[in-house]
Amino acid sequence: TGFLVRGDLEVIEFVRVSERLSYIDIRSSTGAFRVIAVYMPHCGYPDSDIEAMYYEIEAIIREAKRKMFNFCVCGDFNAEVGCGDLDNEFLENTRTLGPYGLARTNARGEWLKHWCEKHELAIANTYFTSTEHSRWTYSNGGVYKMLDYFLVPQCSLSRILSCGVFEDIDVGSDHRPLGLITEIEKPVRNRSVKAAGARQGPVDKQLYRLELR
């Protein structure tokens, strides 16, 4: 995994954890943003490989939170998550999965949904209205699947302006490129409170627009 970065963006750090996992920290006018790129093993790999990947991602997310970075996780998860139903409060994953996925789901997709629920993440591209044809991210032999996702904190979902497939861009792959546009709020610590574990101060409502593809 890797990144192409626009020249006017300041790169704080790039870390290649493995051939399947890397992240980049980018500084904006309202703070830092961490983008975590993932290429999950497919269903032919044992569950232990998937579990190890999730542990590594969790550690990267914890560090981003400790540094007060905004973040997202994106890439090919080799998982089919299906569709959510926002009107049915009795279903699981209602805060994780939107209604604009594809109908198919599998075991790795269920795993991903439960992992997102545990870490309060939303699968962003399932929340944006689109035709069924514009949702798939992978095709092979006439079979169309949704395998690529942007995961964002559930609390920041309202700041996502758009997330979906770029249908008019051919990257010479059996996957289609997926993009996300978000606004970033800058959290500000309350400098007047010195006690350890004190409540965080007010949020600066200044926004910065970031486009990820």
Side-chain angles (χ1 to χ4, degrees), residues 150-198:
F150 270 94
L151 314 181
V152 301
Q154 292 174 1
C155 61
S156 69
L157 189 60
S158 62
R159 296 197 296 273
I160 306 300
L161 303 179
S162 68
C163 184
V165 169
F166 292 94
E167 297 185 64
D168 56 343
I169 300 177
D170 183 0
V171 294
S173 168
D174 49 8
H175 287 258
R176 298 199 292 182
L178 188 66
L180 176 143
I181 300 176
T182 182
E183 292 178 327
I184 305 172
E185 283 187 344
K186 178 183 179 182
V188 179
R189 295 185 187 275
N190 189 338
R191 300 180 185 274
S192 64
V193 179
K194 303 295 184 182

Side-chain angles (χ1 to χ4, degrees):
T1 58
F3 301 89
L4 294 174
V5 182
R6 210 174 62 204
D8 60 338
L9 292 175
E10 178 188 351
V11 176
I12 303 170
E13 182 181 27
F14 166 76
V15 176
R16 185 177 187 269
V17 179
S18 69
E19 64 180 6
R20 291 184 175 275
L21 179 63
S22 61
Y23 65 88
I24 190 169
D25 295 335
I26 301 169
R27 193 184 311 281
S28 74
S29 60
T30 56
F33 196 98
R34 172 167 292 183
V35 184
I36 305 165
V38 173
Y39 176 34
M40 277 289 190
H42 58 67
C43 60
Y45 285 78
D47 286 352
S48 57
D49 288 5
I50 307 298
E51 189 172 27
M53 282 279 290
Y54 277 128
Y55 282 139
E56 289 180 312
I57 298 168
E58 287 169 8
I60 296 169
I61 290 175
R62 281 197 302 271
E63 184 188 46
K65 289 180 176 179
R66 179 177 59 81
K67 293 183 174 181
M68 297 187 69
F69 286 4
N70 295 279
F71 71 91
C72 71
V73 187
C74 58
D76 178 2
F77 286 85
N78 272 307
E80 296 180 271
V81 297
C83 302
D85 184 354
L86 301 182
D87 295 325
N88 190 338
E89 62 180 341
F90 298 104
L91 289 179
E92 292 185 304
N93 313 121
T94 53
R95 298 174 60 204
T96 292
L97 186 65
Y100 302 111
L102 295 179
R104 290 169 57 102
T105 186
N106 60 15
R108 293 282 167 85
E110 293 299 319
W111 192 345
L112 174 59
K113 286 187 289 186
H114 286 295
W115 183 83
C116 287
E117 191 69 29
K118 175 184 175 182
H119 295 284
E120 299 183 325
L121 299 174
I123 304 173
N125 42 315
T126 67
Y127 280 87
F128 286 83
T129 306
S130 61
T131 64
E132 198 163 298
H133 175 75
S134 66
R135 298 175 198 172
W136 62 266
T137 65
Y138 166 86
S139 68
N140 185 17
V143 177
Y144 299 93
K145 299 181 179 182
M146 196 176 196
L147 302 178
D148 304 81
Y149 307 102
F150 270 94
L151 314 181
V152 301
Q154 292 174 1
C155 61
S156 69
L157 189 60
S158 62
R159 296 197 296 273
I160 306 300
L161 303 179
S162 68
C163 184
V165 169
F166 292 94
E167 297 185 64
D168 56 343
I169 300 177
D170 183 0
V171 294
S173 168
D174 49 8
H175 287 258
R176 298 199 292 182
L178 188 66
L180 176 143
I181 300 176
T182 182
E183 292 178 327
I184 305 172
E185 283 187 344
K186 178 183 179 182
V188 179
R189 295 185 187 275
N190 189 338
R191 300 180 185 274
S192 64
V193 179
K194 303 295 184 182
R199 292 184 61 188
Q200 186 174 306
V203 171
D204 182 345
K205 291 300 183 180
Q206 186 178 188
L207 295 176
Y208 178 86
R209 176 170 163 155
L210 180 65
E211 183 171 345
L212 304 170
R213 300 188 180 190

